[in-house]
Amino acid sequence: MIDRKLAVSVDDLTVAYNYKPVLWDIDLQIPEGVLMAIVGPNGAGKSTLIKAILGIIKPIAGSIAIYNKPYKKQRKLVAYVPQKGSVDWDFPTTALDVVMMGTYGSLGWIKRPGQKEKKASLEALEKVGMLSFKNRQISQLSGGQQQRVFLARALVQDASIYFMDEPFQGVDATTEIAIINILKELRKAGKTVIVVHHDLQTVPEYFDWVTFLNVKKIATGPVKDIFNDDNLTKTYGINYKVAVNK
Amino acid sequence: MPLKIYIINKQIMTNPQIEIQLIAVVVAIACAIPGVFLVLRKMALISDAISHSILPGIVIGFFITQDLNSPLLILLAAFTGVITVVLVEMIQKTGLVKEDTAIGLVFPALFSIGVILIAKNANDVHLDVDAVLLGELAFAPFDRLLISGMDMGPQSLWVMGVILLITLGLLFLFFKELKVSTFDTGLSSALGFSPLILHYGLMSVSSVTVVGAFDAVGAILVVALMIAPAATAYLLTSDLKKMLLLSVGFGVFSAIAGYWLAHLLDASISGSMTTVLGIVFLLVYLFAPSKGLLSVLYRQKQQRIEVSLITFLLHLNNHQEENERHVNHLNEHINWQKVRSKSVLELAQKNNMIGIENNIVSLTDKGREFTNLALEYIITNKDEKIEHMKEDFFLFRG
Ligand SMILES: Nc1ncnc2c1ncn2[C@@H]1O[C@H](COP(=O)(O)OP(=O)(O)O)[C@@H](O)[C@H]1O
Ligand SMILES: [Mg+2]
């Protein structure tokens, strides 16, 4: 455990919107091969942290490394599932087409996706149980189905590190189980998976690593060591009681 | 050989009617393409802003070049368009006002600078505000492109032709990048396709197109040609490529139909084209197969009946007692407020789902099977189960 390689390393990260910091001086080391939850109240800066790591937002201070190199050099190692509300679901496009977008990164500028990319995308759709919906316009999918399509898009990126922003938002129990099983499979294959998560009850069951975040980093480490009332209270500000030990 | 071409030129290209339509068609296509992305990015207003705020750029460019079709003037004016976008975004970033307010602040300011510049120099400039705003396609063929004395056709046709070729080239090269950055900025940025570069690329193309076209067709028609075809196509398809093709089709159709309407009514060509664009949009808005107003209303009505039908069938399924299944009692047991019980009974009978004997309603085998499937679908939401019923029932579509 101690010698594990670091998948992601964040040092002294401060991010602001309009000069108002929403993340203060974050230090975060994420070892390779963990399935990690990021928990914290609404507005804690969870999405912002992921966006900063992926270079979507420019931080005002600090540095970020993916396997010891800047993100720009490691793009192909990283897959990203944004929060569902961040895209326009009425956009004229189909489920298959959305999944194909996951292949654009490895293609680079100008080059178009071909048969190989299409085949990989169909396989990813199959994996999340959405193959029969491949030609469905995305607004005609239920919330859970949309989330599965997003997951398929991340799978097709064939990355080493997966960032997912609230993948369980608005999905039914069947989809939640299907998604978490795929995430556990990814971990088994040695991938690192980082998930913004809201349901504290399921943290010990789903994840082996956890980061508590509320503007500052409260704690990070193995679920069995640090997922306790003390950290929950520090993060959420109220006295939180959850059944940590089942 | 050169002589022959000249003769063909003389016969075809100097015919002003055809030239006007040709210019209109080229402008329509050149506008429709960036228009699709503006509409999808919910930036329709910005094209209006650009079309007005380029005025000072045009005036200053005209002072320098003395030629409304000079490429330098087009670039200068397009640059003003991009500045508009930058200013709007800067004001928006302060968080004090929303985007539409920011647009409302920027473009009248720039536009009025342009108007003042024209007024101050009215003597040296043959530019007037009306001509810029409304344009007059009928005059476009008068401006000829002469190369060593040879007439190459209307200048604006060449200007817009070049702009169209550039637009098509960029679309062809960066289609996938434009698509992903329009649909999902976060992913686009994470994949390394800078949304900022694509955004300003699109803004630059839009500005150049507006500037190139304003002289021929006027600012108002330019905005209409950018937004209306895309908004119309959006109602008809769920495929970006088809949306682009349809937009181009609507643009071209409106340009030609508008021309002949103007001919018929002896009215302004630009005005007629704008009118046709509006009429086409209205027709599609009303009659589009799935997103049109009428089909939405029809679907809602149909779904109401179907919900009642299933409620009714479930009720029959749940009750063996005859008094619960008497025709006269059904009204009391089920909430029929929205739909007349008669139409539900008829629908069920037409589909052979119920039989009525002595005013007692019972489910047929087919009715029972349907009810169970529907129930299962309602509980599990598993689409495979009811795939074969989709054709007949709106309720089960999407
Ligand atoms: N684009 C933005 N502009 C300004 N403020 C923002 C923006 N995005 C997020 N914020 C603010 O930053 C804070 C953190 O947001 P976010 O990272 O989305 O939180 P979380 O994902 O933990 O709910 C919130 O206070 C939010 O209002
Ligand atoms: Mg969030």
Side-chain angles (χ1 to χ4, degrees):
Chain A
M1 182 80 69
I2 302 147
D3 310 323
R4 264 208 235 175
K5 271 203 284 188
L6 281 185
V8 182
S9 175
V10 176
D11 290 299
D12 307 323
L13 178 77
T14 297
V15 184
Y17 291 110
N18 309 320
Y19 308 106
K20 178 179 155 272
V22 294
L23 286 176
W24 267 117
D25 199 32
I26 306 284
D27 284 298
L28 179 62
Q29 267 72 44
I30 307 174
E32 184 179 46
V34 297
L35 177 46
M36 181 178 99
I38 301 177
V39 298
N42 288 331
K46 305 180 293 293
S47 302
T48 304
L49 174 61
I50 291 185
K51 286 182 191 162
I53 293 175
L54 300 184
I56 298 170
I57 299 176
K58 234 173 111 70
I60 55 174
S63 65
I64 288 142
I66 306 283
Y67 285 114
N68 289 320
K69 289 195 189 127
Y71 173 75
K72 272 192 178 157
K73 298 217 164 111
Q74 305 283 50
R75 272 201 184 103
K76 288 179 185 167
L77 298 181
V78 178
Y80 171 47
V81 176
Q83 215 164 339
K84 237 181 73 192
S86 69
V87 307
D88 172 16
W89 290 101
D90 286 323
F91 192 84
T93 185
T94 60
L96 175 61
D97 206 35
V98 170
V99 177
M100 298 259 277
M101 288 180 194
T103 67
Y104 290 3
S106 62
L107 290 169
W109 287 84
I110 296 179
K111 218 172 145 221
R112 285 139 185 267
Q115 282 309 313
K116 186 175 136 230
E117 285 74 24
K118 189 170 174 189
K119 196 168 151 260
S121 306
L122 289 171
E123 279 167 15
L125 272 173
E126 165 120 69
K127 194 154 193 189
V128 299
M130 287 291 296
L131 193 54
S132 51
F133 297 90
K134 63 177 196 288
N135 293 324
R136 192 69 80 81
Q137 210 258 316
I138 50 172
S139 66
Q140 311 275 30
L141 299 169
S142 70
Q145 291 169 337
Q146 290 173 341
Q147 204 60 323
R148 284 171 192 240
V149 170
F150 260 19
L151 179 62
R153 190 177 72 180
L155 291 177
V156 89
Q157 286 185 256
D158 193 22
S160 305
I161 308 175
Y162 291 80
F163 288 92
M164 316 212 165
D165 202 341
E166 303 199 23
F168 304 118
Q169 185 191 2
V171 310
D172 57 26
T174 335
T175 302
E176 179 157 339
I177 292 166
I179 292 178
I180 196 67
N181 283 339
I182 290 174
L183 299 189
K184 284 179 174 171
E185 243 174 69
L186 287 173
R187 174 182 53 188
K188 216 184 276 169
K191 317 278 189 182
T192 309
V193 185
I194 295 139
V195 179
V196 174
H197 192 58
H198 260 306
D199 181 7
L200 296 171
Q201 307 290 336
T202 52
V203 169
E205 186 188 333
Y206 290 174
F207 301 95
D208 56 12
W209 213 262
V210 63
T211 292
F212 290 93
L213 188 75
N214 192 354
V215 186
K216 302 183 81 160
K217 184 194 75 182
I218 313 293
T220 184
V223 169
K224 60 177 175 4
D225 298 342
I226 67 157
F227 193 69
N228 53 38
D229 289 345
D230 186 30
N231 281 327
L232 283 166
T233 308
K234 275 189 200 151
T235 308
Y236 288 87
I238 43 168
N239 201 357
Y240 237 96
K241 289 265 180 241
V242 287
V244 176
N245 301 307
K246 298 173 292 165
Chain B
M1 221 21 211
L3 189 66
K4 230 178 187 171
I5 291 173
Y6 183 62
I7 290 170
I8 291 171
N9 267 348
K10 209 161 177 108
Q11 283 175 340
I12 299 173
M13 295 299 281
T14 58
N15 181 339
Q17 281 201 339
I18 291 176
E19 281 180 358
I20 290 173
Q21 290 179 70
L22 210 54
I23 293 169
V25 164
V26 171
V27 170
I29 302 175
C31 287
I33 293 167
V36 164
F37 292 99
L38 291 179
V39 164
L40 289 174
R41 287 163 176 247
K42 309 196 172 18
M43 293 181 66
L45 259 182
I46 206 92
S47 68
D48 196 17
I50 291 175
S51 72
H52 285 71
S53 57
I54 55 174
L55 189 61
I58 290 170
V59 178
I60 294 168
F62 189 77
F63 290 158
I64 299 171
T65 63
Q66 295 295 317
D67 173 8
L68 269 179
N69 281 312
S70 118
L72 179 65
L73 178 139
I74 291 180
L75 288 181
L76 264 178
F79 185 65
T80 327
V82 176
I83 288 181
T84 312
V85 178
V86 174
L87 283 177
V88 166
E89 281 163 4
M90 267 169 52
I91 294 179
Q92 211 186 327
K93 273 222 180 84
T94 62
L96 299 173
V97 295
K98 290 220 171 70
E99 186 182 10
D100 52 352
T101 318
I103 291 175
L105 287 170
V106 171
F107 91 76
L110 285 170
F111 184 64
S112 53
I113 291 175
V115 173
I116 292 168
L117 282 175
I118 292 179
K120 280 258 166 208
N121 302 278
N123 299 333
D124 333 315
V125 188
H126 77 274
L127 256 180
D128 74 277
V129 180
D130 279 356
V132 171
L133 276 186
L134 297 171
E136 190 41 82
L137 210 40
F139 300 148
F142 295 151
D143 250 330
R144 312 300 295 181
L145 179 67
L146 298 171
I147 293 181
S148 49
M150 203 155 97
D151 180 6
M152 306 298 288
Q155 203 166 51
S156 48
L157 186 57
W158 283 95
V159 170
M160 283 315 294
V162 170
I163 292 175
L164 174 59
L165 280 181
I166 294 172
T167 305
L168 282 172
L170 290 172
L171 175 72
F172 188 76
L173 289 177
F174 300 113
F175 177 70
K176 113 175 166 286
E177 289 79 1
L178 277 167
K179 178 162 76 176
V180 67
S181 76
T182 303
F183 172 61
D184 189 341
T185 350
L187 181 79
S188 176
S189 163
L191 293 178
F193 306 121
S194 161
L196 206 67
I197 291 176
L198 290 159
H199 173 69
Y200 282 111
L202 177 63
M203 288 306 122
S204 305
V205 169
S206 306
S207 298
V208 168
T209 309
V210 171
V211 179
F214 97 97
D215 181 35
V217 303
I220 290 175
L221 181 57
V222 173
V223 174
L225 280 171
M226 280 201 163
I227 304 311
T232 312
Y234 182 71
L235 295 172
L236 287 171
T237 177
S238 52
D239 179 312
L240 182 55
K241 278 185 189 152
K242 282 189 197 136
M243 184 172 165
L244 280 160
L245 288 174
L246 278 172
S247 297
V248 167
F250 284 131
V252 169
F253 170 81
S254 305
I256 293 174
Y259 176 80
W260 288 105
L261 182 70
H263 200 69
L264 209 72
L265 303 176
D266 197 18
S268 140
I269 300 177
S270 294
S272 304
M273 288 179 182
T274 312
T275 308
V276 173
L277 284 166
I279 292 171
V280 170
F281 175 79
L282 185 68
L283 289 177
V284 171
Y285 174 74
L286 288 177
F287 301 112
S290 74
K291 291 185 198 163
L293 187 63
L294 293 187
S295 91
V296 167
L297 289 178
Y298 175 71
R299 196 160 53 230
Q300 281 172 356
K301 176 173 168 260
Q302 213 49 30
Q303 283 195 356
R304 260 198 321 262
I305 296 180
E306 288 169 12
V307 169
S308 310
L309 172 71
I310 291 180
T311 321
F312 169 58
L313 294 175
L314 280 176
H315 177 82
L316 292 178
N317 204 25
N318 288 340
H319 292 281
Q320 301 307 316
E321 334 59 296
E322 292 206 341
N323 66 335
E324 288 281 349
R325 292 189 283 123
H326 194 280
V327 172
N328 294 339
H329 280 247
L330 290 169
N331 299 3
E332 302 156 22
H333 286 290
I334 308 171
N335 185 3
W336 294 123
Q337 277 149 340
K338 297 243 165 88
V339 192
R340 281 174 308 133
S341 53
K342 224 174 119 230
S343 59
V344 173
L345 268 181
E346 274 165 13
L347 183 65
Q349 249 181 324
K350 209 172 68 203
N351 282 292
N352 290 326
M353 286 173 176
I354 55 169
I356 305 179
E357 220 173 296
N358 299 329
N359 278 338
I360 304 294
V361 187
S362 24
L363 282 178
T364 59
D365 285 344
K366 188 183 169 206
R368 195 163 292 118
E369 192 193 341
F370 173 83
T371 313
N372 288 333
L373 276 177
L375 198 60
E376 207 175 320
Y377 173 71
I378 289 163
I379 294 168
T380 63
N381 237 332
K382 283 231 173 72
D383 263 27
E384 310 81 89
K385 299 259 186 239
I386 43 98
E387 208 60 53
H388 65 284
M389 304 200 297
K390 282 209 174 125
E391 293 304 306
D392 305 326
F393 291 93
F394 283 96
L395 206 52
F396 300 132
R397 287 183 212 167

